[in-house]
């Protein structure tokens, strides 16, 4: 009896420690973030106590072995019906996160479609890409200042090291968007985005250089149809232009450098900014960079004579102004959403989503602008997009353990 009492006391002590550990975890908010799982947890503790006591008595008494065997079986049946607390707490979170990402991607794609349509309409009659891009950065700067002024988001406090990084990212961001607008002004929207489907190729290169990521053999193999498909589409593109082609290819380099460096900057601990403020500061710095550059490159093009010249092509000044403002709003909004997504996923996943966005933009632009597309050109675009799909599959493959 004394041995039995000591055993039960030891078991009770273990149970008490387990209960205190559970209560401390619950108070700290680490365990069981779902409050509905608390009752299940108490039942699990109660069941654990019954099981522990039964095992002790089984070891100490041989006269009631049949009774305790049935008790243990009953306990197993009851505990089997108790849901796992971890699944209860993580599944809703995973579902909410997945739903949030889906909504963010849809908004990202829609804003990008409208931006490309309005932007192409403006550049057709107002062929000044540096001025247009500077105006779009200016729209973004106004929206950011309103966001901070209305206290919709806290104003960041910068350190000297952060300023240097932001200026570096801002210069790359400025160049990438200017090159994209130059390409959109020279060739069809669908062709620009077919070229920009090669972004995974540059992502792999820069992720290896700056993040130390080593691609698998399957990732490298998936890049072949991307490069081959873009080359085939380029050779058969009716609106092919070397300036448009080179600008789109150069924008791939700059944009993916920006994305990888931004991801590296955001994962630094005490030096990191949240993704909204990071993109906001990059946008403001880009506006400050590009405004004097646009004046030096193209002069002051918001004079009445230039606006009247654009109106003579078929778009009146009012319509031109509305489309220019809408392109600026969509421009800032879709890139802001893009940066939010970049803060939620890896750089490679972001690049894959960006490549899928190309499919949506290509199809929508071909339909809206009624762009003539030859069968071989369609085949090249399709091969490149299949390569993007294989690339996304290859990135999700886990290497086998040796």
């Amino acid at each position: 009896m004394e041995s039995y009492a000591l055993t039960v006391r030891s078991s009770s002590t273990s149970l008490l420690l387990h209960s205190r550990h559970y209560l401390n975890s619950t108070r700290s908010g680490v365990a069981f973030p779902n409050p509905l799982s608390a009752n299940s947890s108490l039942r699990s503790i109660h069941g654990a106590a019954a099981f522990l006591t039964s095992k002790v008595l089984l070891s100490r008494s041989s006269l009631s072995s049949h009774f305790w065997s049935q008790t243990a079986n009953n306990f197993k049946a009851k505990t089997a019906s108790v849901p796992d607390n971890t699944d209860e707490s993580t599944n809703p979170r995973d579902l909410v996160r997945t739903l949030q990402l889906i909504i963010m991607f849809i908004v990202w794609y829609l804003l990008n479609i409208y931006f490309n349509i309005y932007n192409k309409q403006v550049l057709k009659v107002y062929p000044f890409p540096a001025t247009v891009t500077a105006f779009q950065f200016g729209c973004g700067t106004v929206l950011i200042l309103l966001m901070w002024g209305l206290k919709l988001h806290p104003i960041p406090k910068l350190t000297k090291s952060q300023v240097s990084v932001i200026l570096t990212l801002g210069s790359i961001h400025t160049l990438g968007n200017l090159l994209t607008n130059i390409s959109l002004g020279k060739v069809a929207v669908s062709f620009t985005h077919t070229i920009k489907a090669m972004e995974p190729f540059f992502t792999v290169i820069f992720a290896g250089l700056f993040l130390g990521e080593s691609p698998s053999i399957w990732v490298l193999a998936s890049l072949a149809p991307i490069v081959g498909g873009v080359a085939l589409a380029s050779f058969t593109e009716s609106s092919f232009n070397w300036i448009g082609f080179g600008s789109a290819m150069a924008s791939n380099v700059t944009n993916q450098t920006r994305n990888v460096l931004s991801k590296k900057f955001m994962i630094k601990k005490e030096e990191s900014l949240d993704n909204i403020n990071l993109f906001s500061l990059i946008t403001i710095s880009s506006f400050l960079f590009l405004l004097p550059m646009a004046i030096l490159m193209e002069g002051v093009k918001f004079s009445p004579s230039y606006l009247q010249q654009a109106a003579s092509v078929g778009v009146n000044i009012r319509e031109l102004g509305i489309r220019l403002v809408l392109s600026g709003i969509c421009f800032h909004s879709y890139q802001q959403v893009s940066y939010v997504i970049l803060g939620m996923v890896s750089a490679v996943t972001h690049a894959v989503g960006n490549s899928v966005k190309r499919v949506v933009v290509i199809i929508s632009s071909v339909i809206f602008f009624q762009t003539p597309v030859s069968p071989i050109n369609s085949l090249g675009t399709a091969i490149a997009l299949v390569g993007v799909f294989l690339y996304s599959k290859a990135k999700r493959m886990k290497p086998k353990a040796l």
Side-chain angles (χ1 to χ4, degrees):
M1 289 299 291
E2 183 180 354
S3 176
Y4 164 74
L6 290 173
T7 305
V8 172
R9 189 179 298 115
S10 175
S11 303
S12 301
T13 303
S14 300
L15 177 59
L16 179 59
L17 291 174
H18 179 76
S19 302
R20 288 178 178 173
H21 174 70
Y22 162 74
L23 292 174
N24 292 333
S25 299
T26 306
R27 292 191 190 103
S28 63
V30 175
F32 311 108
N34 184 356
L36 298 178
S37 64
N39 292 334
S40 299
S41 303
L42 291 174
R43 288 197 300 270
S44 299
I45 293 175
H46 176 73
F51 179 77
L52 184 60
T53 305
S54 65
K55 296 299 289 181
V56 171
L57 292 178
L58 274 170
S59 64
R60 301 300 299 172
S61 176
S62 59
L63 297 176
S64 54
S65 59
H66 177 70
F67 170 77
W68 289 113
S69 176
Q70 286 187 341
T71 302
N73 290 335
N74 290 337
F75 164 74
K76 290 178 182 179
K78 290 180 180 179
T79 54
S81 64
V82 177
D84 186 31
N85 297 321
T86 303
D87 293 339
E88 279 187 342
S89 61
T90 57
N91 283 342
R93 287 183 173 183
D94 291 343
L95 181 62
V96 170
R97 178 180 173 82
T98 301
L99 182 61
Q100 183 183 9
L101 275 175
I102 291 174
I103 294 174
M104 296 291 286
F105 271 95
I106 292 174
V107 172
W108 184 25
Y109 291 0
L110 287 175
L111 289 171
N112 205 277
I113 290 172
Y114 282 110
F115 163 71
N116 281 278
I117 290 174
Y118 290 132
N119 199 33
K120 183 64 177 179
Q121 288 176 333
V122 169
L123 289 171
K124 271 185 175 181
V125 299
Y126 192 74
F128 305 109
T131 301
V132 171
T133 308
F135 181 85
Q136 291 166 349
F137 281 132
C139 288
T141 300
V142 171
L143 293 175
I144 292 165
L145 295 177
L146 287 174
M147 176 186 71
W148 286 340
L150 296 174
K151 298 182 179 180
L152 300 177
H153 197 78
I155 300 175
K157 296 180 180 179
L158 297 177
T159 63
K160 292 182 179 180
S161 60
Q162 288 175 334
V163 171
S164 62
V165 172
I166 289 169
L167 291 178
T168 302
L169 293 175
S171 61
I172 299 173
H173 184 69
T174 302
L175 186 58
N177 285 280
L178 175 60
L179 289 168
T180 299
N181 273 351
I182 291 174
S183 178
L184 287 171
K186 294 294 183 180
V187 297
V189 175
S190 57
F191 182 52
T192 297
H193 286 277
T194 299
I195 300 170
K196 290 176 74 65
M198 281 190 65
E199 282 187 343
F201 175 81
F202 295 100
T203 300
V204 171
I205 294 176
F206 295 128
L209 291 176
F210 298 115
L211 301 180
E213 297 179 2
S214 299
S216 66
I217 185 65
W218 299 110
V219 169
L220 294 176
S222 68
L223 297 178
I226 296 177
V227 176
V230 170
L232 182 62
S234 300
F235 291 147
T236 57
E237 174 60 36
S238 59
S239 66
F240 182 85
N241 178 285
W242 278 110
I243 296 177
F245 174 82
S247 299
M249 194 64 70
S251 71
N252 285 335
V253 176
T254 54
N255 286 336
Q256 290 313 302
T257 303
R258 178 205 63 192
N259 286 346
V260 173
L261 290 179
S262 297
K263 188 68 178 181
K264 185 176 182 179
F265 177 62
M266 282 192 290
I267 62 177
K268 287 184 179 180
K269 297 173 183 174
E270 69 280 354
E271 291 291 325
S272 65
L273 291 168
D274 66 85
N275 43 27
I276 294 178
N277 277 334
L278 176 61
F279 176 71
S280 298
L281 293 168
I282 290 175
T283 299
I284 294 174
S285 63
S286 296
F287 174 64
L288 297 176
F289 279 141
L290 190 55
L291 183 60
M293 188 186 304
I295 295 175
L296 290 174
M297 291 173 60
E298 300 173 345
V300 180
K301 292 298 186 288
F302 276 108
S303 61
S305 59
Y306 283 103
L307 294 175
Q308 192 63 39
Q309 179 183 352
S312 64
V313 181
V315 179
N316 61 50
I317 297 176
R318 182 174 178 273
E319 289 178 349
L320 176 63
I322 292 174
R323 291 175 185 178
L324 189 58
V325 171
L326 289 175
S327 70
I329 294 173
C330 292
F331 174 77
H332 174 75
S333 300
Y334 96 76
Q335 296 201 69
Q336 180 71 81
V337 173
S338 174
Y339 256 71
V340 172
I341 295 174
L342 182 61
M344 300 170 65
V345 299
S346 67
V348 174
T349 302
H350 183 273
V352 172
N354 202 29
S355 299
V356 175
K357 181 199 67 182
R358 304 289 175 209
V359 182
V360 180
V361 172
I362 288 171
I363 294 174
S364 62
S365 65
V366 168
I367 294 173
F368 184 86
F369 292 108
Q370 297 181 350
T371 306
V373 181
S374 66
I376 299 179
N377 184 273
S378 300
L379 177 62
T381 302
I383 291 174
L385 298 177
V386 168
V388 172
F389 174 76
L390 295 176
Y391 172 82
S392 64
K393 287 290 186 182
K395 289 301 299 181
R396 287 174 171 79
M397 292 175 61
K398 296 182 179 180
K400 295 182 180 180
L402 297 177

